Amino acid sequence: MTSTSRPLTAVILAAGLGTRMKSRLPKALHRLANRPMINHLIDTVQQVADDIVVVVGPDMPALEKAAHPHRSVVQTERLGTGHAARTAEPFFGEGDVIILNADNPLISSETLHNLLSARKNGAALAMLGMRPKDPARYGRVVEANGNVQRIVEYKDATDEERGIGLCNAGAFCASAQDLRVWLSQIDNKNAQNEYYLTDVVALAAQSRTVQCVVADEAELAGVNSRAELAQVEHSIQQRLRAAAMANGATLVAPETVFFSADTVIETDVTIEPNVFFGPGVTVRSDSIIRAFSHLENCTIGEAVSIGPYARIRPGTICEKGSHVGNFVELKNVTLGAGAKANHLTYLGDASIGAATNIGAGTITCNYDGVFKHRTTIGANGFIGSNAILVAPVNIGDEALIAAGSVITANVSDGAMAFGRARQTEKTERGRETMTALRKKKEQG
C-alpha cells in the first residue's frame, strides 16, 4: 500500500498471446518457479499499490482466475498497448496510476518505490528504463537536457536511434487525470498500425517533465520466448537459492536444487544435489533432503531424513524424526514420529504410527480401479519385507506382519499376522526338476 494520501492503482497489461512462445497458453500464465508468471508480478505490486487491475484478452478465463481476487477487464481487440491501457481507464481512480507489463515478472518493490519517488519529486510522468548489454529490439529512450523526450519503437527507429543504449522497460507512472488525456491523444500511425502506450511520453514531454528511472537489466528483462522464459527461471532460482542459504539452509550444490516460489525451508536444513521442490513444500529445521529426491505439496517435520531417490507426493506429512529412504514413494501419507520406510516401498493413502518400521518392498494397495481406500498402521509395529496391505485395512499397535504376506483383513494390537501359503519341502524334487530341464534344453 502507498504511504501517501494519493491512492495508487496498478494496471497490469496481460492480454498478449505471446506468439513467439509458440503456445496455446496465454503468455502471462507460463510458469516460473511453479507459479504463473503474472502472480510473481502481482505479489510484488501488492506491496505498493492500493488497487490492481489486470487487462486480459478475450477467452482467457484461466488468466482471470489467476488474477483473482483482483479485477480483470477484457481487451476485446488487440490494438496495441495504448489501447489495452485505455481498456482499464474506467478503473484508474483519481490518484496515481502505474502501468506495467505482465511479462516483467522480476521487477522488485524497491524499483517500483524508486519509480513512485520520481513522481513525488516533480515528474509528471515517470518511467523505467535499462541499459542492456544487447539492446536488441527494445524501444529506445530519446533524451535531451536530462529529460526524456520520447520513446521510439525499434521498428520505427532510425539507425542513429537504434544506437541509443537506454531502453524502455515498459513501466509508467502518472496521475490518472493526465493519463486519461494522453491516452485519448495517441494514434496508430506507425509501422505496426497499433496504439503504442509509449507515445504518451512524447505527449507528456511537450509541456511537462518526464523522468527515466534506470534499473538493472536482469530485473527488468521481459519474457517473449521459451528461451527468455528459461533465462528468467534461472534468475528466479538464483534468488530462491540465495534466500534459502541466507536463512540458514545448507545447499551442497546450489545450482542443482530447484525451488518453487512458495517453498519454505527452515534453519539447519541440508539439501543435497539434484533435489526438486514442487509447489507447497515445507521443510522444518534439522532435516536432510538427500540427493535426487522430488517433493511436492508435503510437509517434512523436524529432523527428518528423506532420500536419496525418494518421491514425496501431495498430502504427505513426515513427522519429527521419521525416515524415508531410497526409492520410496509416499502419497497422501502421515508418517508418524520416528517411523521408518527405508527401502523400495510405495505407501499411498496411509497413516503410519510412531516408531513403526516398514520393510523393504512393502506396498499399500490403495486403489481398486474406481475408489481410493486407506490403510492405517498403529504405533511401534513392524511390517515385514514385501508385505502387501490391501486397503481398506487397519493394523493395530505393536503388530507384526510377516514378510511376504498379503494382508486383506484387520490385524489386532500386538498380533502377528501371516498372509501367505505354508512352506512345504519335497525331498530331492529340486535336483530332479533341474536335471529334467537341462535335458530338455540339450534336446532343443
Side-chain angles (χ1 to χ4, degrees):
M1 302 286 285
T2 54
S3 58
T4 67
S5 59
R6 287 178 63 82
L8 176 67
T9 298
V11 176
I12 299 176
L13 307 183
L17 291 173
T19 54
R20 288 168 57 195
M21 301 291 285
K22 300 291 193 300
S23 175
R24 295 184 298 274
L25 190 70
K27 180 167 65 170
L29 285 180
H30 282 265
R31 301 180 77 81
L32 294 163
N34 285 303
R35 174 181 286 175
M37 188 190 310
I38 191 168
N39 292 112
H40 289 272
L41 183 58
I42 286 175
D43 283 353
T44 302
V45 171
Q46 285 178 150
Q47 300 175 45
V48 300
D50 300 283
D51 191 23
I52 296 175
V53 180
V54 180
V55 180
V56 303
D59 301 318
M60 290 185 173
L63 184 53
E64 293 183 50
K65 182 178 179 180
H68 184 78
H70 304 291
R71 181 186 293 110
S72 296
V73 295
V74 179
Q75 183 189 14
T76 54
E77 296 181 273
R78 292 183 175 86
L79 302 178
T81 52
H83 180 262
R86 282 182 187 173
T87 303
E89 185 181 325
F91 307 104
F92 280 2
E94 298 302 324
D96 279 1
V97 176
I98 184 170
I99 301 177
L100 305 122
N101 292 316
D103 60 5
N104 289 118
L106 295 182
I107 193 168
S108 68
S109 58
E110 180 182 3
T111 293
L112 294 181
H113 280 298
N114 291 339
L115 185 67
L116 298 175
S117 294
R119 262 285 295 145
K120 295 173 188 174
N121 292 332
L125 177 66
M127 59 166 289
L128 286 182
M130 58 182 174
R131 297 186 181 277
K133 293 179 181 178
D134 179 11
R137 303 181 69 83
Y138 286 110
R140 303 306 201 264
V141 180
V142 181
E143 294 182 298
N145 301 318
N147 291 321
V148 178
Q149 299 299 306
R150 60 192 172 90
I151 295 173
V152 57
E153 296 296 336
Y154 181 86
K155 290 184 178 180
D156 300 306
T158 64
D159 289 341
E160 182 180 359
E161 290 168 336
R162 290 178 180 180
I164 296 172
L166 182 60
C167 297
N168 170 40
F172 302 89
C173 185
S175 72
Q177 182 179 356
D178 285 338
L179 272 176
R180 288 188 179 100
V181 173
W182 297 329
L183 287 171
S184 69
Q185 294 175 350
I186 62 176
D187 58 43
N188 62 348
K189 297 176 182 178
N190 50 62
Q192 292 181 272
N193 296 316
E194 291 185 353
Y195 295 90
Y196 293 155
L197 176 60
T198 51
D199 285 352
V200 300
V201 173
L203 293 167
Q206 290 176 4
S207 58
R208 310 284 291 280
T209 300
V210 179
Q211 290 187 2
C212 182
V213 175
V214 180
D216 186 67
E217 174 190 4
E219 180 182 327
L220 300 180
V223 176
N224 295 294
S225 66
R226 303 282 183 159
E228 290 174 351
L229 185 72
Q231 291 169 1
V232 173
E233 178 73 39
H234 176 72
S235 297
I236 288 178
Q237 290 300 329
Q238 285 184 312
R239 289 184 182 184
L240 294 173
R241 293 162 186 154
M245 291 185 287
N247 289 331
T250 295
L251 275 60
V252 176
E255 69 281 1
T256 71
V257 176
F258 289 84
F259 292 109
S260 290
D262 62 352
T263 305
V264 176
I265 305 293
E266 293 188 351
T267 58
D268 293 315
V269 169
T270 298
I271 303 172
E272 293 185 352
N274 298 295
V275 173
F276 182 90
F277 293 93
V281 177
T282 296
V283 182
R284 302 296 183 195
S285 299
D286 300 311
S287 290
I288 182 167
I289 312 298
R290 298 195 181 278
F292 295 98
S293 294
H294 186 289
L295 301 85
E296 57 181 319
N297 288 306
C298 61
T299 299
I300 308 302
E302 295 181 18
V304 171
S305 177
I306 301 291
Y309 294 95
R311 186 179 181 196
I312 313 299
R313 292 174 58 194
T316 295
I317 299 172
C318 295
E319 295 182 353
K320 184 175 181 179
S322 56
H323 285 215
V324 178
N326 49 285
F327 303 104
V328 172
E329 179 178 350
L330 306 183
K331 191 274 292 185
N332 194 25
V333 168
T334 298
L335 189 64
K340 297 179 180 180
N342 276 329
H343 319 280
L344 303 164
T345 291
Y346 170 73
L347 302 176
D349 298 300
S351 297
I352 315 299
T356 285
N357 189 88
I358 306 295
T362 296
I363 296 172
T364 59
C365 299
N366 56 322
Y367 184 51
D368 64 9
V370 178
F371 298 106
K372 296 290 182 69
H373 302 281
R374 195 158 188 88
T375 298
T376 301
I377 303 173
N380 299 298
F382 184 90
I383 310 299
S385 296
N386 286 327
I388 296 176
L389 311 177
V390 182
V393 67
N394 295 318
I395 297 172
D397 294 341
E398 300 182 89
L400 189 155
I401 305 300
S405 294
V406 178
I407 301 299
T408 60
N410 294 342
V411 178
S412 58
D413 292 350
M416 176 185 289
F418 295 83
R420 61 192 185 199
R422 182 179 297 276
Q423 180 174 319
T424 60
E425 182 174 323
K426 305 292 185 181
T427 305
E428 292 295 317
R429 181 68 60 84
R431 185 179 292 114
E432 292 170 0
T433 300
M434 294 302 294
T435 300
L437 289 172
R438 292 189 185 101
K439 187 174 182 179
K440 286 184 178 182
K441 185 177 180 180
E442 291 170 0
Q443 294 173 349

